[in-house]
Amino acid sequence: MSTRPRTPGHGAPAPGKLPITELAEMKARGQAIAMVTAYDAPSGRLADSAGADVILVGDSAAMTVLGHDSTVPATMEEMLVLTRATTRGAHRPLVVADMPFGSFQVSDEEAVTNAIRFVKEAGADAVKLEGAGTMLSRVHAIVGAGVPVMGHIGLTPQSATALGGFRAQGRTAEKAIRLCEDALALEAAGCFSLVLEAVPAPVATRITQRLAIPTIGIGAGGGTDGQVLVWHDLLGLYDGRSPRFVKRYAELAEAIEAAVGQYVSDVRERRFPEDVHTYSMPEDELAAFEEAVAVTERV
Ligand code: KIV
């Protein structure tokens, strides 16, 4: 169990924490940023020990962890629990909490209140929110309150219905120009970084060149400053169909199913537990116990 103190308020980074300014320096050095989602203490700890720079507690949790069909149902309370668990496990990486649908759309005030909850109650280092346009004033307000904001444009799953489904964005010149404008506007509003999701690679590369802040791509090609993948996709844990931009680095669902299946059959066949899995007691104590039980059975 870690005794590392969390940052009080949102002042200096906790000891060992990657400073948020390091991301811009990584961009300047041409060093790729590795971001991955995580949703609990074990995944946060493993992402940390594997060397991830940034952990996103994504609202993809609504689908990967909570079993919904989209990210829309994720609530503030659910995201707070997941973020709090993740920050207990992850120490070096920056932990970015994804603001769920409905937590920032209504007003700047509500957006600031909810962003601050992620920092104060869950130990997040920053928040992410989807969209540009009317969301620019939210970014400005949250950054003004002292909470770093990561932007997210391209395919924004919370508005997938309005975008015509889970499909690539910015595939016409006009739409690609709009994405460039949104990216520049989010940078000007104060974002420290920007996720580009499901955007043609040349468009994402061009945006990356135009911005001073680092871009993190998912389905946006190799020209962004960093990459992000969803934990369950990367590890082969999600039973839904993964998008084409996912690379599965393991097939853990199969491994888990095989292991649990083995356990079930060992229980049924009484092969588990073995002697090594049980506790013994001194012979004389056992004899006394048997004797006492025998007496109670005789009366
Ligand atoms: O919620 C999420 O996991 C995300 C990533 C796909 C960027 O927003």
Side-chain angles (χ1 to χ4, degrees):
M1 195 174 70
S2 169
T3 52
R4 185 184 61 93
R6 292 293 310 162
T7 313
H10 214 48
K17 171 72 68 180
L18 187 80
I20 206 160
T21 47
E22 179 62 15
L23 297 187
E25 284 164 26
M26 288 172 81
K27 175 177 178 117
R29 290 197 295 272
Q31 189 181 338
I33 299 163
M35 174 161 125
V36 65
T37 70
Y39 311 104
D40 55 17
S43 56
R45 181 171 46 77
L46 290 169
D48 185 346
S49 58
D53 303 304
V54 185
I55 290 177
L56 172 67
V57 186
D59 65 353
S60 48
M63 301 170 77
T64 57
V65 178
L66 302 176
H68 294 292
D69 289 336
S70 82
T71 61
V72 169
T75 66
M76 267 305 291
E77 300 312 315
E78 287 165 345
M79 292 302 297
L80 281 168
V81 169
L82 299 174
T83 305
R84 199 179 299 126
T86 304
T87 57
R88 286 190 195 113
H91 300 152
R92 176 187 170 270
L94 289 161
V95 177
V96 180
D98 214 357
M99 298 196 69
F101 184 66
S103 70
F104 61 96
Q105 284 85 355
V106 175
S107 67
D108 287 358
E109 289 71 19
E110 217 170 288
V112 171
T113 301
N114 285 323
I116 288 175
R117 287 192 73 191
F118 276 120
V119 173
K120 284 187 73 149
E121 298 176 33
D125 301 301
V127 297
K128 174 170 87 58
L129 58 83
E130 294 185 8
T134 49
M135 296 310 132
L136 294 170
S137 82
R138 309 289 188 266
V139 172
H140 198 261
I142 297 170
V143 173
V147 180
V149 178
M150 176 179 273
H152 182 164
I153 56 172
L155 171 55
T156 45
Q158 291 175 8
S159 35
T161 309
L163 296 174
F166 288 86
R167 51 172 54 178
Q169 301 296 306
R171 297 181 84 180
T172 65
E174 190 189 338
K175 288 182 176 157
I177 290 166
R178 181 65 194 273
L179 276 180
C180 282
E181 289 167 355
D182 286 347
L184 288 165
L186 284 163
E187 178 176 70
C191 283
F192 72 93
S193 173
L194 181 64
V195 170
L196 299 172
E197 179 165 354
V199 170
V203 178
T205 302
R206 197 84 174 108
I207 292 173
T208 300
Q209 290 162 350
R210 292 285 304 275
L211 297 185
I213 59 170
T215 58
I216 310 288
I218 175 161
T224 52
D225 297 306
Q227 298 292 328
V228 57
L229 277 181
V230 167
W231 184 261
H232 291 61
D233 286 336
L234 185 162
L235 294 174
L237 275 169
Y238 189 53
D239 59 6
R241 202 164 58 87
S242 293
R244 57 172 279 160
F245 53 72
V246 167
K247 178 169 176 186
R248 288 163 90 115
Y249 286 83
E251 295 297 339
L252 292 195
E254 282 173 19
I256 291 171
E257 212 175 329
V260 177
Q262 186 63 56
Y263 162 72
V264 169
S265 84
D266 280 1
V267 169
R268 296 224 167 101
E269 302 299 324
R270 300 200 176 279
R271 287 189 297 259
F272 175 84
E274 299 159 42
D275 286 350
V276 289
H277 305 121
T278 54
Y279 299 99
S280 62
M281 65 192 289
E283 290 289 328
D284 54 340
E285 295 295 338
L286 180 56
F289 167 69
E290 299 284 10
E291 174 66 26
V293 171
V295 168
T296 58
E297 281 169 357
R298 279 198 293 272
V299 287

